[in-house]
């Protein structure tokens, strides 16, 4: 590990039934994810995070839900996966009140939220939390989100980043002085209603890894949320983003990187394997497959569950093959899918998505999992992790009680 490099751990949470990448786990009798519509859940989570010296709770969010599989939301609703989805922003002030050091990052889209409204929201939260708030900047790409906002289709990918750039220009301006802004996408005349908050600007996260996304990160982000399967993939993206930041005149070391990781941790390897077996007993492969369809725009319901497929079978070919190749590259005896010699079928894909998905998924004793974390820090040059849970609250408790002391 790099000398004096501090590992920042974040809890990756979603304000809905189900985890970020673990469908079906709410069925477990010990899972508390069904209580996410009450503040007590988030207050207890925040207290746990503070006890474990966790840097931040990162709240992922999106509009509508994954409505591609089968042509609608029914499959996600029937699986109970990522449904009953609350707006994460109002949650922050309440959980900040029961903590002193842990921070909070909420996801809000530049595609549909007016920049004046957003600037006011996050300035308010920065005051109320005494400077403990971040904004995960996203652009919205799904047809479902566009339609509920009154549009026929979403803005095209590269154009969304041009809109987001101007959006950032507007929110940076909204300090004290009256602004007059007339651009291609936004027109605004007025001033912020708030006095400068402790951070002035919240910590800015972003997750895009396309060429426009990397450019946006280099110009605006302080931290980047990553979804690589392997150390090699993560290292490449991080190096590209640091180089892009340097080209913008920034110190590349000032940009921090947080890959998502989905560990199953035991005091012993045997205990971890038992936890994995328990997770498998309630896993929902169809829910995982529906999530994959939502990510890719490919309706996997039209393919027989147990018939092998390749990228040429699917509309979207090469991009899907890159996903499958990434899955294969990350498959080993310590991951949640060790069947690397088996062909890809929709069922196998759904199982993979239902337990860890696109992310590294180490299963092992606390020392074994800690070694994986350290490998990412050392080899990929990341700065920390967004840790997603499988069991709830067990996964986060294991991070606090087992992994943090080991690290």
């Amino acid at each position: 590990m790099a000398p004096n490099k501090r590992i920042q751990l974040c809890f990756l949470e979603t304000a809905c039934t189900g985890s970020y990448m673990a469908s079906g786990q709410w069925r477990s009798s010990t899972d508390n994810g069904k209580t996410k519509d009450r503040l007590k859940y988030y207050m207890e989570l925040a207290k746990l995070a503070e006890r474990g010296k966790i840097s931040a709770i990162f709240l992922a969010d999106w509009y509508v839900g994954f409505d591609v599989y089968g042509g609608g939301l029914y499959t996600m609703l029937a699986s109970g996966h990522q449904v009953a989805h609350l707006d994460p922003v109002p949650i922050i002030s309440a959980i900040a009140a029961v903590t002193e050091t842990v921070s909070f990052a909420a996801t809000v889209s530049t595609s549909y939220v007016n920049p004046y409204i957003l600037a006011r929201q996050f300035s308010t939260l920065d005051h109320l939390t005494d400077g403990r708030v971040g904004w995960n900047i996203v652009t919205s790409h799904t047809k479902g989100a566009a339609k509920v906002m009154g549009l026929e289709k979403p803005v095209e990918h590269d154009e969304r980043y041009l809109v987001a750039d101007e959006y950032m220009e507007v929110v940076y301006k909204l300090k004290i002085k009256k602004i007059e802004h007339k651009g291609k996408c936004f027109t605004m005349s007025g001033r912020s209603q708030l006095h400068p908050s402790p951070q002035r600007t919240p910590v800015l996260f972003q997750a895009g890894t396309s060429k426009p996304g990397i450019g946006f990160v280099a110009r605006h982000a302080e931290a980047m949320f990553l979804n690589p399967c392997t150390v090699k993939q993560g290292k490449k993206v991080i190096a590209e983003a640091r180089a892009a930041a340097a080209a913008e005149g920034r110190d590349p070391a000032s940009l921090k990187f947080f890959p998502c990781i989905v560990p199953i941790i035991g005091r012993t390897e045997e205990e971890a394997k038992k936890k994995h077996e328990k997770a498998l007993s309630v896993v929902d492969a169809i829910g995982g497959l529906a999530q994959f369809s939502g990510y890719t725009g490919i309706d996997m319901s039209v393919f027989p569950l147990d018939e092998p497929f390749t990228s040429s079978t699917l509309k979207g070919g090469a991009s899907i093959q890159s996903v499958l190749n990434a899955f294969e590259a990350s498959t080993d005896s310590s991951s949640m899918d060790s069947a690397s010699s088996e062909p890809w079928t929709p069922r196998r894909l759904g199982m993979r998505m239902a337990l860890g998905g696109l992310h590294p998924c180490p299963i092992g004793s606390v020392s074994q999992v800690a070694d994986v974390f350290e490998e990412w820090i050392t080899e990929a040059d990341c700065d920390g992790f967004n840790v997603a849970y499988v069991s709830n609250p067990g996964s986060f408790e294991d991070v606090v009680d087992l992994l943090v002391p080991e690290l």
Side-chain angles (χ1 to χ4, degrees), residues 224-238:
M224 189 173 182
F225 174 36
L226 300 175
N227 289 292
C229 284
T230 66
V231 170
K232 182 178 180 180
Q233 291 172 343
K235 182 177 182 179
K236 180 178 183 293
V237 173
I238 290 169

Side-chain angles (χ1 to χ4, degrees), residues 356-373:
L358 308 171
H359 312 102
C361 312
I363 303 167
S365 68
V366 61
S367 61
Q368 290 171 325
V369 172
D371 287 346
V372 173
F373 276 60

Side-chain angles (χ1 to χ4, degrees), residues 247-259:
E248 291 285 341
R250 297 178 58 189
D251 176 3
S254 68
L255 187 54
K256 307 301 181 183
F257 296 88
F258 294 81

Side-chain angles (χ1 to χ4, degrees), residues 173-180 189-192 194 196:
K173 288 178 179 178
L174 281 167
K175 301 298 181 183
I176 288 294
K177 294 181 180 179
K178 183 178 180 180
I179 70 166
E180 299 290 345
S189 175
R191 66 179 76 237
S192 171
L194 278 85

Side-chain angles (χ1 to χ4, degrees), residues 68-96:
V68 174
Y69 191 89
L73 281 169
Y74 175 78
T75 300
M76 295 295 285
L77 294 170
S79 69
H81 182 45
Q82 296 180 343
V83 297
H85 206 147
L86 280 64
D87 183 337
V89 174
I91 297 170
I92 290 176
S93 60
I95 54 179

